[in-house]
Amino acid sequence: MTPPPSTALTTAPLATPDLDITLTKTKTLVNSAGGCGCSSNTDIDELSESMRARIEKHPCYSEDAHHHYARMHVAVAPACNIQCNYCNRKYDCANESRPGVVSELLTPEEAAHKVLVVAGKIPQMTVLGIAGPGDPLANPEQTFRTFELIAEQAPDIKLCLSTNGLMLPEYVDRIKALKVDHVTITINMVDPEIGVKIYPWVHYRRKRYRGLEGVKILHERQMEGLQALKEADILCKVNSVMIPGINDEHLPEVNQAIRERGAFLHNIMPLISAPEHGTYFGLNGQRGPSPQELKQVQDNCAGNLKLMRHCRQCRADAVGLLGEDRSQEFTKQKFMEMPVDYSVAQRQAVHIGIEQAKAAVTAKRQAAVRRPTTTQPSPKVLVAIATKGGGLVNQHFGHAKEFMIYEVDATAAKFVSHRKVADYCQGGYGEEAMLNGIITTISDCQAVFASKVGPCPQRELEKAGLVVIEAYDVIESVARQFYDEHVLNRR
Ligand code: CLF
Ligand code: SF4
């Protein structure tokens, strides 16, 4: 997603949105305050107050929060103790990162300085995660020293950790003592026979185990670690990389197993695989899933356990809102020269502003809630939304580097995924190819919502059968009006 103007994330809270709606491409409008609209898709509505407080500012654990709050990673953990067939050691850990991305390695002291610098410049940054570039728990001293320094110097920042789980049982007590409240384990299988197709070896207690023997150790340690987190009351998210033909049909079983052991959230991510990444899978032609295949498996796993669908497979040095990448503003050369301007009071003032903006959006959503009037389900349609965050349709079509996909029916609009695209505005060169790529990427959608769409792309989108809506409003309200106008009224 195109980064917002620097002030949007640096100094001021997100502005309370202008709630007047402008739908210039629809012919008749429905007053969104007049009893129509979607139910909120806020994922934390049904949680207890205490649980809500634990996740409401964590952009990965709360879909709602990721519109408003940012996270950052520090790359302090270079080594790894297993081999995944989708990983090339030249790059960051692919369990939480896109393959082909390399981060600058930091010492714990450099990492702590970077966190304080970013915390001052991006007060919306609420979570510090360690996710690589190898496995954080294969580098325990660097990882825990970094957490210690940040806990001492920036106590209002939540600490977060991502691991393959092999060494987790050893460290749950230390994680708890440091008040790390969010831990991710990447669990791709609960059947070692499937695991041998993903992991060629595991290095455990000074010995390398190959094949089934190694995978059984990894599986047992992952399950033990998950249960230990539950007993320690640490929130656990499980990441699973979906690998078509290997574990796609197995993932509902993984979902069931982690649910039984107390996982809080399940994040099923697509394998990203290409020969140039130099991974075993990439070199052997193993493909990743299509967005439709991913959604199907996610839908098959949807049940009591919450599913994360908004993961962006970040870099091990990611900075900013999910979906924007500000890591290049904070390279080592740059941040080491930046002064620290960290103030809890200033950060809290910004958070209060965000919460006020969020409350305005939530009120708009709730005013638009519609109860089902019939037991007959209404048709579900997908729509693609250009957004800079805040829960709003607020981005120019030509600036979108990704679209949020919502599934809309007569009562609700539900976020289901995001899809990356090459941004259309390239100064003329290659725009036609870009537009064709965007149209292909969102070809299963019925509409595009954006704050502005140029006449040429609008013509091409409409030619491809998409309804084009220009609006600046809460996503669910625009979705409701689109659905009433273009789906219900045309049945
Ligand atoms: Fe980072 Fe991971 Fe913590 Fe989030 S990321 S360590 S839980 S703070 Fe988030 Fe990025 Fe997806 Fe990870 S979007 S790759 S799930
Ligand atoms: Fe690579 Fe991460 Fe797997 Fe280690 S755990 S092999 S760093 S993807």
Side-chain angles (χ1 to χ4, degrees):
M1 198 162 71
T2 302
S6 54
T7 51
L9 261 189
T10 52
T11 52
L14 294 172
T16 302
D18 174 4
L19 296 181
D20 288 338
I21 187 164
T22 312
L23 291 180
T24 58
K25 295 297 184 289
T26 50
K27 291 196 175 63
T28 55
L29 300 183
V30 186
N31 178 351
S32 65
C36 66
C38 311
S39 62
S40 162
N41 73 337
T42 303
D43 62 343
I44 59 173
D45 283 351
E46 71 274 26
L47 295 176
S48 67
E49 276 303 316
S50 61
M51 188 61 84
R52 188 190 298 239
R54 289 169 74 179
I55 67 162
E56 68 186 354
K57 290 184 186 172
H58 194 308
C60 303
Y61 281 66
S62 162
E63 197 273 311
D64 202 28
H66 99 283
H67 297 285
H68 308 276
Y69 291 104
R71 55 73 187 99
M72 71 176 289
H73 291 165
V74 285
V76 294
C80 191
N81 45 17
I82 67 172
Q83 179 64 56
C84 304
N85 279 334
Y86 46 75
C87 178
N88 176 348
R89 302 268 189 212
K90 283 196 316 203
Y91 303 127
D92 290 357
C93 174
N95 282 338
E96 285 246 327
S97 308
R98 288 183 300 283
V101 168
V102 190
S103 300
E104 282 177 325
L105 200 60
L106 305 179
T107 65
E109 289 70 23
E110 288 166 343
H113 177 74
K114 181 175 182 179
V115 172
L116 291 172
V117 165
V118 174
K121 290 197 177 295
I122 307 181
Q124 294 90 332
M125 188 277 288
T126 47
V127 178
L128 177 273
I130 301 183
D135 185 75
L137 296 183
N139 306 264
E141 295 320 316
Q142 294 96 315
T143 296
F144 290 120
R145 181 65 189 142
T146 305
F147 281 146
E148 277 168 11
L149 290 171
I150 292 162
E152 279 165 27
Q153 297 172 39
D156 69 329
I157 292 177
K158 282 180 187 296
L159 304 177
C160 192
L161 169 75
S162 175
T163 175
N164 60 39
L166 184 66
M167 297 311 292
L168 183 57
E170 254 88 332
Y171 292 114
V172 170
D173 289 345
R174 204 160 166 193
I175 290 168
K176 183 75 183 170
L178 278 163
K179 298 196 174 71
V180 179
D181 198 31
H182 301 79
V183 173
T184 295
I185 317 175
T186 298
I187 300 179
N188 297 321
M189 54 82 208
V190 290
D191 176 355
E193 296 289 348
I194 291 175
V196 287
K197 299 175 192 163
I198 305 171
Y199 306 104
W201 57 258
V202 164
H203 193 271
Y204 181 59
R205 295 195 172 151
R206 300 176 192 280
K207 189 171 168 200
R208 184 168 295 203
Y209 296 87
R210 295 189 180 275
L212 206 52
E213 199 184 4
V215 174
K216 279 183 176 163
I217 294 170
L218 179 64
H219 167 58
E220 283 160 17
R221 302 286 289 170
Q222 289 178 334
M223 294 299 112
E224 209 184 313
L226 176 54
Q227 254 165 338
L229 290 175
K230 174 71 182 166
E231 281 156 24
D233 191 27
I234 296 167
L235 292 180
C236 180
K237 170 166 74 62
V238 168
N239 283 356
S240 299
V241 181
M242 177 181 165
I243 312 164
I246 292 185
N247 72 349
D248 47 345
E249 292 178 6
H250 176 58
L251 287 176
E253 218 179 304
V254 173
N255 181 269
Q256 168 88 14
I258 63 171
R259 182 164 61 195
E260 286 166 4
R261 287 166 181 79
F264 176 75
L265 191 63
H266 194 188
N267 173 24
I268 300 175
M269 321 189 295
L271 172 74
I272 303 174
S273 181
E276 60 268 28
H277 298 148
T279 63
Y280 176 85
F281 281 156
L283 295 172
N284 286 281
Q286 172 64 54
R287 71 174 180 90
S290 67
Q292 292 76 14
E293 287 171 327
L294 179 67
K295 179 176 182 298
Q296 187 61 57
V297 168
Q298 289 173 331
D299 288 350
N300 291 346
C301 290
N304 296 329
L305 181 60
K306 289 180 179 307
L307 277 188
M308 177 183 188
R309 297 179 192 246
H310 60 283
C311 175
R312 302 304 203 283
Q313 292 168 281
C314 328
R315 311 164 53 112
D317 61 357
V319 178
L321 290 173
L322 305 190
E324 72 172 359
D325 182 3
R326 299 183 64 179
S327 54
Q328 292 313 302
E329 292 173 44
F330 299 98
T331 59
K332 190 161 157 181
Q333 196 185 11
K334 290 179 184 165
F335 80 73
M336 289 306 282
E337 289 177 2
M338 294 180 189
V340 169
D341 184 19
Y342 165 78
S343 151
V344 173
Q346 188 226 351
R347 287 170 51 79
Q348 281 174 347
V350 171
H351 295 185
I352 289 168
I354 291 174
E355 291 303 316
Q356 286 166 349
K358 268 175 74 183
V361 171
T362 303
K364 186 84 193 286
R365 284 170 163 174
Q366 286 173 347
V369 166
R370 173 186 286 167
R371 291 183 187 285
T373 52
T374 159
T375 51
Q376 292 294 322
S378 55
K380 293 180 193 301
V381 301
L382 297 180
V383 298
I385 297 158
T387 174
K388 290 188 286 189
L392 304 173
V393 180
N394 60 358
Q395 190 174 38
H396 192 298
F397 175 83
H399 297 163
K401 290 185 177 163
E402 65 174 21
F403 286 90
M404 283 200 160
I405 308 297
Y406 274 62
E407 189 174 67
V408 190
D409 67 14
T411 58
K414 189 177 71 165
F415 169 79
V416 290
S417 67
H418 62 91
R419 296 191 192 156
K420 288 193 184 309
V421 293
D423 55 327
Y424 172 66
C425 282
Q426 299 279 318
Y429 181 72
E431 284 186 351
E432 198 179 323
M434 299 287 179
L435 187 55
N436 289 339
I438 294 172
I439 289 172
T440 304
T441 304
I442 59 173
S443 60
D444 54 346
C445 297
Q446 294 207 2
V448 182
F449 305 166
S451 61
K452 192 83 192 145
V453 184
C456 169
Q458 186 192 331
R459 211 168 32 247
E460 294 304 313
L461 289 164
E462 286 174 348
K463 225 193 277 176
L466 288 144
V467 176
V468 176
I469 306 281
E470 283 185 350
Y472 190 105
D473 199 4
V474 173
I475 289 169
E476 286 83 349
S477 297
V478 183
R480 166 62 37 241
Q481 296 192 34
F482 155 75
Y483 195 86
D484 288 350
E485 181 93 1
H486 291 272
V487 182
L488 286 184
N489 286 351
R490 298 202 173 167
R491 290 174 78 192

Coordinates of all heavy atoms in Angstrom, one line a residue, residues 461-489:
L461 N -12.1 -0.9 -16.2 CA -12.7 -1.7 -15.1 C -14.2 -2.1 -15.4 O -14.6 -3.2 -15.2 CB -12.6 -1.0 -13.8 CG -11.2 -0.8 -13.2 CD1 -11.2 0.2 -12.1 CD2 -10.7 -2.2 -12.6
E462 N -14.9 -1.0 -15.9 CA -16.3 -1.3 -16.2 C -16.4 -2.2 -17.4 O -17.3 -3.1 -17.4 CB -17.0 0.1 -16.5 CG -17.2 0.8 -15.2 CD -17.8 2.2 -15.3 OE1 -17.8 2.7 -16.5 OE2 -18.1 2.8 -14.3
K463 N -15.5 -2.1 -18.4 CA -15.5 -3.0 -19.5 C -15.4 -4.5 -19.0 O -15.9 -5.4 -19.6 CB -14.4 -2.6 -20.5 CG -14.9 -2.6 -21.9 CD -13.7 -2.6 -22.9 CE -13.2 -1.1 -23.1 NZ -12.0 -1.1 -23.9
A464 N -14.5 -4.6 -18.0 CA -14.3 -6.0 -17.4 C -15.5 -6.4 -16.5 O -15.4 -7.5 -15.9 CB -13.0 -6.0 -16.6
G465 N -16.5 -5.6 -16.4 CA -17.7 -6.0 -15.6 C -17.7 -5.6 -14.2 O -18.5 -6.0 -13.4
L466 N -16.7 -4.7 -13.8 CA -16.7 -4.3 -12.4 C -17.4 -3.0 -12.2 O -17.3 -2.1 -13.1 CB -15.2 -4.1 -12.0 CG -14.4 -5.4 -11.8 CD1 -13.0 -5.2 -12.2 CD2 -14.5 -5.8 -10.3
V467 N -18.2 -2.9 -11.1 CA -18.8 -1.6 -10.8 C -17.8 -0.7 -10.1 O -17.1 -1.2 -9.2 CB -20.0 -1.8 -9.8 CG1 -20.6 -0.5 -9.4 CG2 -21.1 -2.7 -10.5
V468 N -17.7 0.5 -10.5 CA -16.6 1.4 -9.9 C -17.3 2.4 -9.0 O -18.2 3.1 -9.4 CB -15.9 2.2 -11.0 CG1 -14.9 3.2 -10.4 CG2 -15.1 1.2 -11.9
I469 N -16.9 2.4 -7.7 CA -17.5 3.3 -6.8 C -16.5 4.3 -6.3 O -15.5 3.8 -5.7 CB -18.1 2.5 -5.6 CG1 -19.1 1.4 -6.0 CG2 -18.7 3.5 -4.5 CD1 -20.4 1.9 -6.3
E470 N -16.7 5.5 -6.4 CA -15.8 6.5 -5.8 C -16.4 7.0 -4.5 O -17.6 7.4 -4.5 CB -15.6 7.7 -6.7 CG -14.6 7.5 -7.8 CD -14.4 8.7 -8.6 OE1 -15.1 9.7 -8.4 OE2 -13.5 8.7 -9.5
A471 N -15.7 6.9 -3.4 CA -16.3 7.3 -2.1 C -15.2 7.6 -1.1 O -14.0 7.2 -1.3 CB -17.2 6.1 -1.6
Y472 N -15.5 8.3 -0.1 CA -14.6 8.5 1.0 C -15.4 8.3 2.3 O -16.1 9.2 2.8 CB -14.0 9.9 1.0 CG -12.8 10.1 2.0 CD1 -11.5 10.1 1.5 CD2 -13.1 10.2 3.3 CE1 -10.5 10.2 2.4 CE2 -12.0 10.3 4.2 CZ -10.7 10.3 3.8 OH -9.7 10.5 4.6
D473 N -15.4 7.0 2.8 CA -16.3 6.7 3.9 C -15.9 5.4 4.6 O -15.0 4.7 4.1 CB -17.7 6.6 3.4 CG -18.7 6.8 4.6 OD1 -18.3 7.0 5.7 OD2 -19.9 6.6 4.3
V474 N -16.6 5.0 5.6 CA -16.4 3.8 6.3 C -16.6 2.6 5.3 O -17.6 2.7 4.6 CB -17.3 3.7 7.5 CG1 -17.2 2.3 8.2 CG2 -17.0 4.8 8.5
I475 N -15.7 1.7 5.3 CA -15.8 0.6 4.3 C -17.2 -0.1 4.3 O -17.8 -0.3 3.3 CB -14.7 -0.4 4.5 CG1 -13.3 0.1 4.2 CG2 -14.9 -1.7 3.8 CD1 -12.1 -0.7 4.6
E476 N -17.6 -0.4 5.5 CA -18.9 -1.2 5.6 C -20.1 -0.4 5.0 O -21.0 -0.9 4.5 CB -19.2 -1.6 7.0 CG -18.3 -2.8 7.5 CD -16.9 -2.3 8.0 OE1 -16.6 -1.1 7.8 OE2 -16.2 -3.1 8.6
S477 N -20.1 0.9 5.2 CA -21.2 1.8 4.8 C -21.2 1.8 3.3 O -22.3 1.7 2.6 CB -21.1 3.2 5.3 OG -21.2 3.1 6.7
V478 N -20.0 1.9 2.7 CA -20.0 2.0 1.2 C -20.4 0.6 0.6 O -21.2 0.5 -0.3 CB -18.5 2.3 0.7 CG1 -18.5 2.4 -0.8 CG2 -18.1 3.6 1.3
A479 N -19.9 -0.5 1.3 CA -20.3 -1.8 0.9 C -21.8 -2.0 0.9 O -22.4 -2.6 0.0 CB -19.6 -2.9 1.7
R480 N -22.4 -1.5 2.0 CA -23.9 -1.7 2.2 C -24.6 -1.0 1.0 O -25.5 -1.5 0.4 CB -24.3 -1.1 3.5 CG -25.8 -0.9 3.7 CD -26.6 -2.1 3.7 NE -26.0 -3.3 4.2 CZ -25.7 -4.4 3.5 NH1 -26.1 -4.5 2.3 NH2 -25.1 -5.4 4.1
Q481 N -24.2 0.2 0.8 CA -24.9 1.0 -0.3 C -24.7 0.4 -1.7 O -25.6 0.3 -2.5 CB -24.4 2.5 -0.3 CG -24.8 3.1 1.1 CD -24.6 4.6 1.0 OE1 -24.8 5.3 0.0 NE2 -24.2 5.2 2.1
F482 N -23.4 -0.1 -1.9 CA -23.2 -0.8 -3.2 C -24.1 -2.0 -3.3 O -24.7 -2.2 -4.3 CB -21.7 -1.2 -3.2 CG -21.5 -2.4 -4.1 CD1 -21.6 -2.3 -5.5 CD2 -21.4 -3.7 -3.6 CE1 -21.4 -3.3 -6.4 CE2 -21.2 -4.8 -4.5 CZ -21.3 -4.6 -5.8
Y483 N -24.2 -2.8 -2.2 CA -25.0 -4.0 -2.3 C -26.5 -3.7 -2.5 O -27.1 -4.4 -3.4 CB -24.8 -4.8 -1.0 CG -25.3 -6.2 -1.1 CD1 -24.4 -7.2 -1.5 CD2 -26.6 -6.6 -0.7 CE1 -24.8 -8.5 -1.7 CE2 -27.0 -7.9 -0.9 CZ -26.1 -8.9 -1.3 OH -26.5 -10.2 -1.4
D484 N -27.0 -2.7 -1.8 CA -28.4 -2.4 -2.0 C -28.7 -1.9 -3.4 O -29.6 -2.3 -4.1 CB -28.8 -1.3 -1.0 CG -28.9 -1.8 0.4 OD1 -28.9 -3.0 0.6 OD2 -29.1 -1.0 1.3
E485 N -27.8 -1.1 -3.9 CA -28.0 -0.5 -5.2 C -27.7 -1.5 -6.4 O -28.5 -1.5 -7.3 CB -27.0 0.7 -5.3 CG -27.1 1.4 -6.6 CD -28.0 2.6 -6.5 OE1 -28.5 2.9 -5.4 OE2 -28.1 3.3 -7.5
H486 N -26.7 -2.3 -6.2 CA -26.2 -3.0 -7.4 C -26.5 -4.5 -7.3 O -26.4 -5.2 -8.3 CB -24.7 -2.8 -7.6 CG -24.4 -1.4 -8.1 ND1 -24.4 -1.0 -9.4 CD2 -24.2 -0.3 -7.4 CE1 -24.2 0.3 -9.5 NE2 -24.0 0.8 -8.3
V487 N -26.8 -5.0 -6.2 CA -27.1 -6.5 -6.1 C -28.6 -6.7 -5.7 O -29.3 -7.3 -6.5 CB -26.2 -7.1 -5.0 CG1 -26.5 -8.6 -5.0 CG2 -24.7 -6.9 -5.3
L488 N -29.0 -6.1 -4.6 CA -30.4 -6.3 -4.2 C -31.4 -5.7 -5.2 O -32.4 -6.4 -5.7 CB -30.7 -5.7 -2.9 CG -30.1 -6.5 -1.7 CD1 -30.6 -5.8 -0.4 CD2 -30.5 -8.0 -1.7
N489 N -31.2 -4.5 -5.7 CA -32.1 -3.8 -6.6 C -32.1 -4.4 -8.0 O -32.9 -4.1 -8.8 CB -31.8 -2.3 -6.6 CG -32.2 -1.6 -5.4 OD1 -32.9 -2.3 -4.5 ND2 -31.8 -0.4 -5.2

